[in-house]
């Protein structure tokens, strides 16, 4: 065992032998050590100086290779800030960080007072919105990294009821359309903040006055890479409205409500992970069958409600206007992670990923966040076109799950190269690999660490077992 520069215990994983896997491993370990705070990992020291929800889930997936105990703590720190209604807030604020370092800051959200009736904790300040539920999958992968340590610490047993409460909040309080799917009530909840998918429903929102807030993100990031001032004004107005209603989720109260395919796909993936966790716990309080039935039911609702056979893609649904949104984003490909997809749907998604709209294996090195052929595509501006490592990590898993091993191998190789050459950028131009956003980004480091070690393990097993084993995914 060694000590990181921060003083945290970090176990040494087997370093990859191949290039660029070894460079990705060394760089990722440096980034994750540098962004560790002692109890969690910030996405970026300057731009994102607090703990973010789905970031921590992806970070834990990579950290499990360095220190399973530290990966467990990453998730435990996040869930210590869970609200009593089950929601996991998208930001947990560090009280040692100055208010002006990030906006919206704790004094904007006022969670402990404005959210007290909704069950916000009194001991820590958080935001009031959520992010996609990747956490059960992360918890299961972290447990598998060292089941003995996990069992000794009671990791799954302590986290399981919290994960279940998180799922139930989303499937019950957030079923605003009444069709079984969770709805997001703010673009930030999708994790894909300024996707063109939100342009139409956002157009109904009167933006907050530009002089009423200061965008701290522009103090650390390039304006061309960030959401516009108009979008940001609408984000602020929506968040203010939610806060002033006490973060209430009663149907009919939200001015923005959209069923997002990526959010719901990850909700379903979490039910599969919870089934695995329940089986591992092996007691009457945790029934795997319930989670599997719920995953099947949610998958059916996802296909029935959001699948477009014409587009070969899942589309968002505007709950308030009761209509599908025609914009084609990478969120519509994310259901590839689901094992229960109808075979013809999975095949169509694979064709769409490699077709002209997303260009994988052609003009695009990595899957762009938005349709390459659409006029809204922008290779630099946040979620309107750049390729993100978390989305591509999910798609790499989905391709492998549905038998597209060569495409998954090629995407993995591109991700490793892009991470190293961009200095672990937040996101990159999908066609050139040019770095965009901040650098030394934690989930980029964590996920390429996972890919680097999986790639090396796959090669080792292929060498031992011969060509028949070469395509088997290890992660």
């Amino acid at each position: 065992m060694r000590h990181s520069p921060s003083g945290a215990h970090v176990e040494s994983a087997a370093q990859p032998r191949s290039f660029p896997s070894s460079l990705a491993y060394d760089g990722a370990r440096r980034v994750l050590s540098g962004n560790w705070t002692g109890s969690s990992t910030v996405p970026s020291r300057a731009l994102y100086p607090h703990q973010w929800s789905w970031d921590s889930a992806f970070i834990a997936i990579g950290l499990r290779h360095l220190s399973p105990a530290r990966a467990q703590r990453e998730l435990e720190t996040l869930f210590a800030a869970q609200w009593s209604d089950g929601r996991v807030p998208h930001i947990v604020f560090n009280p040692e960080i100055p208010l002006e370092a990030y906006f919206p800051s704790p004094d904007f959200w006022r969670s402990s007072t404005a959210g007290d009736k909704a069950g916000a904790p009194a001991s820590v300040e958080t935001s009031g919105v959520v992010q996609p539920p990747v956490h059960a999958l992360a918890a299961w992968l972290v447990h598998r990294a060292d089941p003995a340590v996990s069992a000794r610490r009671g990791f799954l047993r302590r986290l399981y009821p919290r994960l279940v409460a998180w799922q139930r909040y989303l499937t019950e309080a957030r079923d605003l359309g009444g069709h079984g799917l969770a709805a997001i009530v703010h673009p930030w909840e999708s994790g894909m903040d300024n996707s063109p998918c939100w342009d139409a429903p956002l157009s109904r929102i009167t933006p907050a006055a530009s002089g009423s807030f200061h965008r701290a993100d522009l103090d650390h990031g390039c304006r061309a890479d960030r959401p516009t001032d108009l979008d940001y004004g609408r984000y602020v107005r929506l968040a203010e409205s939610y806060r002033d209603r006490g973060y209430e989720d009663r149907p009919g109260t939200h001015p923005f409500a959209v069923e997002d395919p990526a959010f719901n796909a990850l909700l379903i993936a979490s039910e599969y992970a919870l089934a695995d966790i329940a089986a591992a716990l092996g007691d009457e309080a945790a029934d795997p069958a319930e989670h599997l039935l719920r995953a099947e039911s949610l998958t059916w609702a996802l296909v029935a409600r959001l699948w477009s056979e014409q587009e070969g893609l899942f589309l968002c649904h505007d709950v308030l206007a009761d209509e599908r949104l025609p914009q084609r984003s990478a969120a519509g490909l994310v259901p590839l992670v689901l094992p229960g997809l109808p075979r013809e749907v999975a095949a169509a998604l694979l064709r769409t990923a490699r077709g002209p709209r997303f260009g994988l294996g052609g003009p695009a090195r990595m899957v762009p966040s938005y349709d390459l052929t659409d006029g809204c595509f922008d290779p630099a501006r946040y979620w309107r076109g750049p390729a993100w490592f978390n989305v591509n990590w999910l798609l790499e898993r989905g391709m492998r799950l549905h038998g597209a091993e060569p495409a998954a191998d090629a995407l993995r190789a591109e991700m490793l190269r892009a991470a190293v050459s961009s200095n672990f950028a937040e996101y990159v131009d999908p066609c050139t690999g040019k770095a965009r956003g901040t650098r030394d980004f934690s989930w980029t480091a964590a996920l390429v660490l996972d890919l680097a070690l999986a790639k090396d393990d796959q090669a080792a097993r292929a060498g031992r077992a011969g060509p028949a084993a070469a395509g088997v995914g290890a992660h």
Side-chain angles (χ1 to χ4, degrees):
M1 181 173 289
R2 63 179 178 83
H3 290 272
S4 74
S6 66
H9 292 295
V10 181
E11 297 169 6
S12 297
Q15 184 167 348
R17 295 179 294 274
S18 57
F19 178 89
S21 295
S22 59
L23 289 178
Y25 175 89
D26 291 339
R29 189 173 62 177
R30 172 188 60 78
V31 171
L32 293 172
S33 293
N35 289 342
W36 174 250
T37 68
S39 59
S40 64
T41 309
V42 296
S44 162
R45 283 288 179 181
L47 188 56
Y48 307 105
H50 301 284
Q51 183 178 25
W52 262 257
S53 172
W54 77 327
D55 291 71
S56 278
F58 287 122
I59 289 164
I61 289 168
L63 277 178
R64 68 191 169 118
H65 298 293
L66 300 177
S67 170
R70 184 171 138 191
Q72 291 171 30
R73 190 173 182 190
E74 183 80 36
L75 294 172
E76 290 165 346
T77 300
L78 176 67
F79 274 84
Q82 185 175 26
W83 293 26
S84 64
D85 66 1
R87 86 180 73 192
V88 177
H90 96 297
I91 303 174
V92 180
F93 290 105
N94 180 349
E96 297 179 3
I97 300 297
L99 291 178
E100 63 271 16
Y102 182 81
F103 179 83
S105 49
D107 58 340
F108 172 90
W109 294 102
R110 302 199 291 272
S111 63
S112 61
T113 54
D116 60 343
K117 291 183 180 178
S123 59
V124 61
E125 293 298 325
T126 74
S127 67
V129 298
V130 303
Q131 280 184 324
V134 198
H135 311 86
L137 173 61
W140 177 241
L141 292 176
V142 167
H143 164 78
R144 285 179 55 193
D146 194 333
V149 168
S150 175
R152 187 165 62 248
R153 296 186 70 248
F155 171 64
L156 289 184
R157 190 164 297 281
R158 285 183 289 107
L159 203 59
Y160 174 76
R162 290 182 173 272
L163 291 166
V164 170
W166 171 218
Q167 293 285 111
R168 297 297 80 79
Y169 167 75
L170 294 174
T171 56
E172 295 172 8
R174 288 300 189 86
D175 181 12
L176 302 178
H179 294 273
L181 298 181
I184 61 170
V185 301
H186 194 292
W188 287 337
E189 295 198 319
S190 70
M192 304 183 184
D193 304 13
N194 70 331
S195 168
C197 296
W198 321 134
D199 289 356
L202 269 182
S203 68
R204 299 191 293 259
I205 309 301
T206 301
S210 59
S212 65
F213 60 92
H214 171 70
R215 289 187 59 181
D217 62 316
L218 298 181
D219 296 337
H220 305 287
C222 173
R223 181 176 286 274
D225 290 357
R226 305 293 299 171
T228 65
D229 287 341
L230 177 60
D231 282 344
Y232 224 88
R234 287 170 168 153
Y235 303 154
V236 172
R237 177 71 73 191
L238 271 176
E240 285 177 338
S241 172
Y242 197 25
R243 178 199 65 200
D244 294 345
R245 299 194 314 276
Y247 300 109
E248 181 184 41
D249 286 313
R250 187 163 44 87
T253 61
H254 291 288
F256 178 102
V258 177
E259 293 162 347
D260 169 44
F263 193 101
N264 281 280
L266 294 172
L267 182 68
I268 298 166
S270 289
E271 290 292 349
Y272 282 111
L274 284 169
D276 287 328
I277 292 171
L281 291 174
D283 56 36
E284 294 181 358
D287 183 0
E290 290 184 7
H291 295 297
L292 292 174
L293 285 172
R294 195 171 287 112
E296 183 179 356
S297 174
L298 286 168
T299 301
W300 182 90
L302 179 73
V303 173
R305 182 82 163 162
L306 304 184
W307 173 244
S308 170
E309 186 175 356
Q310 179 180 350
E311 297 290 351
L313 191 69
F314 287 89
L315 301 176
C316 296
H317 191 98
D318 185 338
V319 173
L320 301 185
D322 194 20
E323 62 184 15
R324 278 190 185 166
L325 298 168
Q327 289 78 15
R328 297 171 292 267
S329 96
L333 297 172
V334 171
L336 266 177
V337 300
L338 301 176
L341 274 188
R343 185 175 302 176
E344 64 276 13
V345 171
L349 287 174
L350 290 169
R351 288 194 299 270
T352 300
R354 293 179 288 207
R357 299 196 187 283
F358 294 95
L360 188 64
R365 299 180 181 184
M366 291 168 55
V367 176
S369 51
Y370 192 67
D371 178 0
L372 293 168
T373 69
D374 191 278
C376 291
F377 173 78
D378 184 333
R381 196 175 290 279
Y382 218 41
W383 288 95
R384 300 182 79 87
W388 288 74
F389 288 85
N390 64 329
V391 170
N392 279 266
W393 181 86
L394 289 166
L395 295 178
E396 191 268 355
R397 289 179 69 86
M399 290 173 184
R400 208 169 292 284
L401 175 66
H402 292 286
E405 297 280 350
D409 290 341
L411 179 57
R412 178 189 286 172
E414 287 291 352
M415 291 175 70
L416 293 173
R417 281 192 287 267
V420 172
S421 64
S422 70
N423 197 20
F424 298 90
E426 185 179 5
Y427 43 96
V428 297
D429 183 306
C431 298
T432 68
K434 181 179 179 180
R436 295 289 184 181
T438 191
R439 310 300 192 269
D440 287 348
F441 195 66
S442 290
W443 82 26
T444 301
L447 296 177
V448 299
L449 175 64
D450 183 63
L451 293 175
L453 291 171
K455 180 173 186 283
D456 191 65
D457 181 66
Q458 179 181 333
R461 286 183 298 106
R464 289 194 302 269
V472 179
H475 63 300

